[in-house]
Amino acid sequence: MVTETYTVAFRGIEAIPVTVQVQVSSALASFQIVGLADKAISEARERVRAALNACGITLPAKRILVSLGPADLPKEGGHYDLPIALGLLAALDHIPAFAVQNILSLGELSLDGKIRSVPGILPAAVTAGDMKKQFICAPDKLSEALWAAQTQIIVPQDLFEAMNHYQNKNRLEIHSLEPEHLEKLQDGEESQKSAAKFDLSEVRGQETAKHALEITAAGGHNLLMSGPPGAGKSMLASCLPDILPPLSLKEKLEVSLVASICGQLGENGIINKRPYRNPHHSASMAALVGGGRRAMPGEISLAHSGILFLDELPEFRSDVLDSLRQPLETGESVIARAEHRVTYPAVFQLVAAMNPCKCGYMTETNKACNRAPQCGKDYTNRVSGPLLDRFDLRVELASVAISDLALPPRGETSNDIKKRTITLRDMQAKRAEKYTDMSGVSPVNARIGGQFLDEITKMTQQTRDFFTRAAEKLSISARGYHRLLRTARTIQDIDDLKNDIDIANETTLLSQAALAGALSFRML
């Protein structure tokens, strides 16, 4: 007899359906698992055997064959335990075969039959809903699975509870996403409480840097800050997530899918705040862009729709930094292996901080070492030109005067700037809707291109001549030229908003002041 149930294999954030077929036949006693299974799946035989023993079931002295299809798809991980066990229970007539045909399950089994949680519950639950299958997972992953619409979910504590449920001895509660819960998520009523340690009003001085931070948030640009130790670079970067607009429903699901694959979703079962990733400068290439034995997502994918902050930028290995160049342009992290090719989303804003030199005090007259300014050139040269070219804004910070530190907080709060950012992002989205042929393009200024960029960066001939001369004098590359236009558009949008101009319905000409402002942020 052959029984059939379902689970998934992961390829990027996609959960691919896997058919688990179990055959018990009268032949020499054996237990085999076929279908490009890795070591963890091969070891499932002993975990499943022990879990069944805990339920009072002893495997017969027969040939047991488990086939995981499609056969040419590599499969790895411990989540195949539960579907194999359910298929065996059906093959041994302990539960109806037709029942397991309507199940998609994920879970690792302990030796006493308990169902342990595994990564990837959210994408697997989404696939179960698409296939119109019931979904089984560990109880502590219910909050994560519930975000998959049109999915019926069962969360038994152990294999024995699952068996009793399908024997109709002790039926378990069937859970599903409540419509009111989804409406709250769509309306953005879920938790958006700030976890930031600092508010922008607490930052003393650094007005240019704070203005650059607002431009970064409003247009989705990349930012590089350079300055001596203690100037406030890390503090400013930590304030950035709190002035960004809330995640849209689509962004929440994408960010949560990546986090689910890594097993990093919290109790909510979904991520409601924009990610802020801050890896140490000793991070490897696989840790940053993704990879490893199982081709897992890296920091750039975990920062999808959020911020990747690289402190002490020149201290990162040069090959690790250069691996960011392609994802910054494409918005994807592609991990190629001999057996498969995995793509993870990686649309993130790169924010970096660095000292002007190794000792950090090259710009401080009374503290600079005797190698200045050559030490600064050597230190900056650790970062390649092509990567520096991808920073839209570069800001040089000076040390804060001690007298300024004694002053009370002043200036706009993070919440004040956030309100403007939300308005600007909404206007950019509405403006993009006017261009029907740009349907697949992000409406954020930093990621627009082609005809759309030409339409929203028009200027007078006199202003264009000024901009062309300045770009040629500074030897700006073609990429840098277009990044300057995008930055200038954001600066112009901020000015238009302050002058009560509806940028969604009226695309103003770029002013010479906006272009000069964009150029000034490329001078570092």
Side-chain angles (χ1 to χ4, degrees), residues 65-105:
L65 178 63
V66 178
S67 175
L68 307 176
D72 60 345
L73 177 69
K75 303 166 192 73
E76 51 192 15
H79 64 270
Y80 290 86
D81 294 4
L82 182 56
I84 290 173
L86 291 173
L88 261 173
L89 286 173
L92 298 173
D93 292 327
H94 290 286
I95 58 177
F98 69 85
V100 297
Q101 286 181 341
N102 294 315
I103 297 171
L104 190 150
S105 57

Side-chain angles (χ1 to χ4, degrees), residues 247-366:
L247 289 166
S248 66
L249 176 60
K250 180 183 177 183
E251 287 174 327
K252 287 179 182 179
L253 292 175
E254 286 179 350
V255 171
S256 299
L257 285 170
V258 176
S260 178
I261 292 294
C262 296
Q264 295 187 14
L265 277 182
E267 294 180 1
N268 252 0
I270 202 161
I271 292 177
N272 291 300
K273 287 185 66 65
R274 290 192 181 274
Y276 178 79
R277 306 294 299 187
N278 183 10
H280 190 261
H281 57 73
S282 62
S284 66
M285 188 183 299
L288 205 61
V289 301
R293 185 177 60 85
R294 297 182 60 183
M296 295 297 288
E299 292 291 331
I300 64 173
S301 295
L302 290 167
H304 178 63
S305 297
I307 305 297
L308 177 67
F309 176 53
L310 302 184
D311 203 1
E312 310 295 348
L313 184 69
E315 299 296 334
F316 284 81
R317 280 176 22 208
S318 59
D319 60 329
V320 172
L321 289 180
D322 287 338
S323 67
L324 297 176
R325 285 151 52 177
Q326 182 178 351
L328 280 169
E329 297 294 330
T330 63
E332 293 179 335
S333 173
V334 180
I335 305 168
R337 293 291 181 268
E339 295 180 349
H340 55 282
R341 185 174 182 269
V342 179
T343 301
Y344 291 107
V347 179
F348 61 96
Q349 286 179 251
L350 178 61
V351 178
M354 61 179 286
N355 294 328
C357 63
K358 184 67 177 177
C359 71
Y361 296 104
M362 186 186 75
T363 56
E364 304 291 301
T365 307
N366 59 339

Side-chain angles (χ1 to χ4, degrees), residues 308-470:
L308 177 67
F309 176 53
L310 302 184
D311 203 1
E312 310 295 348
L313 184 69
E315 299 296 334
F316 284 81
R317 280 176 22 208
S318 59
D319 60 329
V320 172
L321 289 180
D322 287 338
S323 67
L324 297 176
R325 285 151 52 177
Q326 182 178 351
L328 280 169
E329 297 294 330
T330 63
E332 293 179 335
S333 173
V334 180
I335 305 168
R337 293 291 181 268
E339 295 180 349
H340 55 282
R341 185 174 182 269
V342 179
T343 301
Y344 291 107
V347 179
F348 61 96
Q349 286 179 251
L350 178 61
V351 178
M354 61 179 286
N355 294 328
C357 63
K358 184 67 177 177
C359 71
Y361 296 104
M362 186 186 75
T363 56
E364 304 291 301
T365 307
N366 59 339
K367 291 184 180 180
C369 67
N370 55 13
R371 292 192 63 244
Q374 186 59 42
C375 63
K377 294 179 181 178
D378 294 342
Y379 194 63
T380 304
N381 286 341
R382 293 186 183 185
V383 184
S384 69
L387 181 62
L388 286 174
D389 200 35
R390 285 167 168 82
F391 286 102
D392 304 333
L393 296 98
R394 307 173 195 171
V395 184
E396 187 169 334
L397 284 71
S399 294
V400 181
I402 298 299
S403 57
D404 288 342
L405 296 176
L407 297 174
R410 61 183 181 181
E412 292 183 305
T413 65
S414 293
N415 194 49
D416 294 332
I417 299 175
K418 180 177 181 175
K419 290 177 181 177
R420 279 205 301 272
T421 302
I422 292 173
T423 302
L424 287 163
R425 290 279 186 105
D426 288 342
M427 287 180 171
Q428 289 172 28
K430 291 177 182 176
R431 181 168 61 195
E433 289 175 0
K434 295 193 298 183
Y435 300 90
T436 55
D437 59 333
M438 306 301 294
S439 57
V441 175
S442 169
V444 179
N445 283 344
R447 303 196 67 84
I448 58 178
Q451 179 188 349
F452 191 17
L453 180 60
D454 294 337
E455 289 290 340
I456 67 171
T457 56
K458 291 179 178 178
M459 59 192 93
T460 64
Q461 188 59 46
Q462 182 180 1
T463 303
R464 184 173 293 281
D465 291 342
F466 155 78
F467 183 52
T468 302
R469 288 195 304 272

